[in-house]
Structure formats: C-alpha cells, structure tokens
Amino acid sequence: MLVTSGIMPTPLPPATVLIELAIDKAFNFSFYISSIAVIALVLIVVIFVIIPFVDLLKRYWKTCNPDTIPPNRMKWSDWIEKWDMTSLKINVKFLEMEWKPLDSDREAAWELYVELLTRIATQSLDANHGDEKTALDSMYSLFPLTRQVLKNNSRKCTQFTRIAIIVLNQVIRPFTAKWHRLSLQGAFKNTTKCSEFRIELLGLQKIIKKYAKMLADMAGVEDLTALASDEPSDELN
C-alpha cells in the first residue's frame, strides 16, 4: 500500500508573476546602473570642467587685480602669476614657499631695477641708428651686473637671488648664447640676420619689462617702466 505524507506540494506561481518579478529586478538593476552613470558623469564634469574653469577665473582675477593678493600671505606661485611669468620653469616645492622679501631683497631689487630702466634691455633699438652688437653686449652685461648686485648685498637677499638667477639662466642666457655665437660668424653683417635679431630682441624685451616690474614690486617702489620706455603703454592709453 502506497503511503504519502500529509504535506501538500507548494504550487508554482503563475507565469505572469514570474514575468513581473523578472521585470522588477531588471528595472532595479537598470536603475542602479543609471545612478552610477549619472554620478560618474557629474564627477567628470566637476573634475574636467568646473574645477579648471574656476582655476582659470582665479588666474584671470589675479592678473587683472594684482593688488588684491595680500603680500604677507603670498606664495611664490601667486607672485609669478601676478606678473604673468608662469612660463618660467620653477620647482613645485619652491613655488609653494612664501614670498616675503626682506630689506636686503628690496635693496638688491631696487639696485638692479634702476639699471634695467636705462638699458637696451627695456628700451627699443632704433631702426635706423641702433647697433645690433651693442644691443647684444648690453643684454649680456646683465650677467656681471646681477653678480655685482648680489655681492653688494648680503647673503640674506635670497628672494631676489632666486628670481634673478632664474631669469638670467632661462630667459637671457639662451638669447645671448645664440647670438654671441652667430655674431662671431658674421651674422650682423647680414641684413636678414639683423632683422631676425631685432625680432627676437623685441620678444626678449617684453619679458625683461615684466621682470623690471617684478623688481619694482619686490623693492616696494612705484613702477616707472612705462615712463622710462619709449613705447606706448596700456596704462597711459
């Protein structure tokens, strides 16, 4: 005789119920995927769009309003950006250091600043009477002049020394080294080379004028670059 237990087997759910459960799970899964995608998209926009845009606005504001940065809280990176000299290659750790010139820095900056105002380094080379070799020699003279300024002031003028050495090695030296070699080869007897020299000199002078403004700022004096220059200035227009 066949004996059966008294427990009835659980009936299988209808097909419609199974379909609804499958659809509900699929919907929940797609919702999670969509949420993750939205979050990832927001992060991408913030990192690659909003943050760079805000940084660009800060840089623009500092450039247009250099006096808004408190001098006693300024980093070297702020000071470099203030005068639009970010093309200089400077160690990141150095840029994070505080920019706080001492009296010895101010004295050295003033001494070199006065020299720059009266040299071809910041003055236009006359198109008809200017001499290329004289202009090159004047630019090269910034090396012994800067060394003498450093000797005249104490070893405490580290702020001045840093910017002076960087400008000499990265801005002036490539120009003087190139044209000293070419001048020995007779470049200044060639009209085309003379024109090339004048074009490069003009580009260098624009950077040196910014350098002069930086020195005036470090020295804590009014900048007279626009008054000393024989070219029109935005400040005077």
Side-chain angles (χ1 to χ4, degrees):
M1 182 179 178
L2 181 62
V3 179
T4 60
S5 63
I7 301 175
M8 297 294 294
T10 303
L12 295 174
T16 55
V17 175
L18 293 175
I19 293 174
E20 289 178 358
L21 289 174
I23 293 174
D24 184 59
K25 290 182 179 180
F27 175 79
N28 290 336
F29 180 75
S30 63
F31 175 77
Y32 293 142
I33 295 298
S34 300
S35 300
I36 294 173
V38 170
I39 294 173
L41 180 60
V42 171
L43 289 175
I44 291 174
V45 171
V46 170
I47 295 173
F48 294 101
V49 178
I50 296 179
I51 293 178
F53 180 71
V54 171
D55 185 60
L56 181 63
L57 287 178
K58 289 181 179 179
R59 290 172 180 266
Y60 177 75
W61 178 260
K62 290 178 182 178
T63 302
C64 297
N65 304 275
D67 295 332
T68 59
I69 306 174
N72 58 336
R73 298 179 182 177
M74 186 180 293
K75 294 181 180 179
W76 265 89
S77 58
D78 298 323
W79 192 57
I80 295 296
E81 288 179 10
K82 174 181 176 180
W83 297 109
D84 191 27
M85 292 284 276
T86 53
S87 60
L88 297 176
K89 298 177 182 179
I90 305 176
N91 185 279
V92 175
K93 292 183 179 180
F94 172 69
L95 290 174
E96 291 301 312
M97 296 175 63
E98 184 180 12
W99 183 81
K100 193 174 182 181
L102 303 175
D103 289 340
S104 54
D105 294 304
R106 298 186 183 93
E107 291 295 330
W110 167 251
E111 188 175 341
L112 183 58
Y113 173 70
V114 172
E115 292 286 347
L116 287 178
L117 291 183
T118 58
R119 291 174 178 266
I120 292 178
T122 58
Q123 305 301 312
S124 297
L125 183 62
D126 188 276
N128 298 318
H129 304 97
D131 179 71
E132 289 77 14
K133 183 62 169 61
T134 302
L136 177 61
D137 291 342
S138 178
M139 197 63 72
Y140 180 79
S141 68
L142 294 180
F143 284 93
L145 176 62
T146 302
R147 296 189 193 101
Q148 189 58 48
V149 170
L150 292 172
K151 291 178 180 179
N152 293 344
N153 296 273
S154 67
R155 289 179 291 179
K156 294 182 180 180
C157 60
T158 55
Q159 303 282 311
F160 168 80
T161 303
R162 287 166 181 165
I163 189 63
I165 291 178
I166 289 173
V167 171
L168 284 179
N169 289 334
Q170 295 188 23
V171 178
I172 301 175
R173 187 182 299 279
F175 177 86
T176 56
K178 171 185 175 179
W179 285 104
H180 174 70
R181 175 175 52 82
L182 291 176
S183 67
L184 295 178
Q185 298 173 359
F188 294 146
K189 296 179 181 179
N190 184 301
T191 305
T192 302
K193 285 296 182 181
C194 287
S195 298
E196 181 183 343
F197 172 83
R198 287 172 178 265
I199 292 173
E200 292 189 14
L201 176 65
L202 185 60
L204 177 61
Q205 286 174 327
K206 292 180 179 179
I207 301 176
I208 298 300
K209 287 178 182 179
K210 291 181 183 179
Y211 178 43
K213 292 176 183 290
M214 296 174 78
L215 294 178
D217 187 30
M218 180 176 286
V221 299
E222 179 184 0
D223 176 42
L224 301 177
T225 306
L227 296 177
S229 174
D230 51 8
E231 296 180 353
S233 169
D234 294 337
E235 298 178 2
L236 300 179
N237 291 339

